[in-house]
Amino acid sequence: MSEEPKITVIAYSRDKFVSRKVSSLKEAVEFEKYNVVWINVDGFSIIPELKEALQLDDAPIKALTRSSIRARVMVFPDYLFLLLHQVYEMNGSLKREKIALFLKENLVITVQERPGDVFDPIRESIREGEGLFRERGADYLLFALLEAIVENYIPIIERISSRMEGLEARILSSGEESVLHRIHGIRREILFMRRTVFPLLEAFRKLQLEGARFFEGETKRCIDELHDHVLEVLEILEGQRELANSLVELYYSTLSMKTNDIIRILTVVSTVFIPLTFITGIYGMNFRYMPELGWRYGYFMTLSGMLLIAVGMLYYFKRKGWL
């Protein structure tokens, strides 16, 4: 059995403010004496009641109930519908949550899948009378909510950048295989963010062109800036994607250099032992007549000669920069 949705109403005018939890959507829409009414609903089980209360078309309802991950904007004669995604970091990974926003006259409705969002600074500003919220209408509130969702992407992207910088240092110092796994994890996160942000370009462009009549002059310019802001976020993500690819190349280059170092050392060792093996091979033959075998100092002179050859070769390799 699904949980009952939690409905919170924030209604305000220039000199009035109220914040209240209500039990039904019908009760929430009755704050007519305020200039702006913001209804926040935690839980999609409110959708049938929402359709009836606002007399919504079927298209927004279908968009909410489908598992589509793309952001979208729908413009109707008397209201706007937007479907976006909030992104959170949970248990070391990124999670995405759908959030629906409706704008109808002085009413803004936000519907999210679960409690918790990025709108607390907006609520505090309205409560304290800070900023332009009390001076503007519902269209400005909608813009602020959209901006908060986009702004929330930035700290997540910055943390990804910070992690990549740390991995770059680890690649140069150790080149562990676990580093490569972490890089691939970051690449997946960047792709996840890009798939979330990229559809906003089309959505906000449609909002600019088709939904302009729902916004007043000043707020309309703010909506135009949102599109540019999304472009900036995408440029940052593209830079991060290239950096992640560069880190993979750096990892393999570092690994190749270390492999070359190992091969060079093994080659030097093999080269040193070739003449020594040759000498021991000669004196390991079982011929009866070998003059050196009867010499009193033959064993010590042979060892001394082998040591001299080895030290001489190592000195030569050192002078050549091979060691």
Side-chain angles (χ1 to χ4, degrees):
M1 188 174 179
S2 61
E3 283 188 28
E4 286 295 321
K6 297 178 181 178
I7 306 174
T8 305
V9 178
I10 293 179
Y12 59 91
S13 299
R14 185 186 297 268
D15 55 352
K16 292 186 294 185
F17 169 83
V18 63
S19 177
R20 187 180 303 167
K21 292 183 179 179
V22 296
S23 57
S24 68
L25 196 60
K26 184 177 180 181
E27 182 183 352
V29 297
E30 292 178 352
F31 289 77
E32 298 178 352
K33 59 182 179 180
Y34 295 91
N35 289 343
V36 179
V37 180
W38 173 17
I39 302 173
N40 184 78
V41 183
D42 297 328
F44 276 6
S45 59
I46 195 78
I47 291 175
E49 184 183 349
L50 184 68
K51 179 181 180 181
E52 183 180 351
L54 297 183
Q55 298 180 343
L56 300 178
D57 296 78
D58 289 333
I61 305 304
K62 291 179 180 178
L64 279 174
T65 53
R66 280 201 298 259
S67 59
S68 172
I69 63 169
R70 292 185 65 86
R72 60 180 57 195
V73 171
M74 297 182 184
V75 182
F76 298 94
D78 60 339
Y79 69 93
L80 271 176
F81 166 73
L82 301 95
L83 178 63
L84 278 72
H85 294 87
Q86 299 180 98
V87 177
Y88 304 100
E89 290 180 297
M90 296 175 60
N91 302 322
S93 61
L94 297 181
K95 305 294 182 183
R96 181 166 40 210
E97 175 193 345
K98 287 192 293 187
I99 177 168
L101 301 97
F102 295 87
L103 172 64
K104 184 174 184 180
E105 299 175 350
N106 71 325
L107 185 65
V108 174
I109 300 177
T110 52
V111 185
Q112 29 199 342
E113 294 182 76
R114 60 184 67 89
D117 52 41
V118 297
F119 303 143
D120 284 342
I122 296 176
R123 294 185 179 98
E124 186 64 23
S125 296
I126 295 173
R127 182 179 296 108
E128 299 298 328
E130 300 172 347
L132 299 173
F133 292 100
R134 300 283 190 94
E135 309 293 327
R136 302 283 183 86
D139 59 335
Y140 183 78
L141 174 60
L142 178 65
F143 155 72
L145 296 174
L146 296 176
E147 185 181 43
I149 294 173
V150 176
E151 284 287 344
N152 184 58
Y153 299 149
I154 301 299
I156 296 174
I157 294 172
E158 288 177 348
R159 282 191 285 274
I160 292 175
S161 295
S162 178
R163 287 163 55 199
M164 283 197 290
E165 290 173 4
L167 287 176
E168 184 177 12
R170 288 192 61 182
I171 289 173
L172 296 175
S173 62
S174 63
E176 301 171 1
E177 188 175 353
S178 61
V179 175
L180 184 61
H181 294 311
R182 293 187 180 184
I183 295 173
H184 284 309
I186 287 177
R187 290 173 71 181
R188 286 193 295 270
E189 289 182 355
I190 294 172
L191 181 60
F192 178 91
M193 290 298 299
R194 193 175 186 279
R195 285 175 175 171
T196 302
V197 177
F198 187 77
L200 291 178
L201 281 180
E202 180 183 349
F204 287 164
R205 175 60 68 185
K206 186 174 182 179
L207 189 62
Q208 286 177 294
L209 299 177
E210 299 180 23
R213 58 189 172 83
F214 287 91
F215 301 95
E216 298 177 359
E218 292 293 329
T219 308
K220 190 180 299 184
R221 283 191 287 272
C222 294
I223 294 295
D224 295 341
E225 292 174 4
L226 266 181
H227 185 271
D228 296 336
H229 196 176
V230 172
L231 278 175
E232 293 172 4
V233 173
L234 283 173
E235 288 175 2
I236 296 172
L237 285 171
E238 185 63 24
Q240 286 187 335
R241 188 179 67 85
E242 293 176 1
L243 178 57
N245 292 337
S246 299
L247 287 180
V248 174
E249 294 175 2
L250 178 62
Y251 172 82
Y252 284 115
S253 297
T254 304
L255 187 63
S256 176
M257 290 175 61
K258 290 187 176 183
T259 303
N260 290 339
D261 288 341
I262 294 172
I263 293 175
R264 184 172 67 248
I265 293 172
L266 293 176
T267 302
V268 168
V269 171
S270 301
T271 305
V272 169
F273 273 90
I274 286 175
L276 304 185
T277 305
F278 175 73
I279 294 173
T280 56
I282 289 177
Y283 288 103
M285 295 186 294
N286 294 321
F287 291 112
R288 179 176 296 180
Y289 300 105
M290 295 184 69
E292 297 86 353
L293 295 180
W295 186 31
R296 180 177 180 180
Y297 301 104
Y299 175 72
F300 299 102
M301 291 300 295
T302 301
L303 287 182
S304 299
M306 293 170 66
L307 179 61
L308 184 63
I309 291 173
V311 171
M313 293 183 72
L314 290 174
Y315 175 74
Y316 177 78
F317 293 150
K318 185 71 175 178
R319 286 285 303 273
K320 287 289 187 179
W322 297 346
L323 285 177

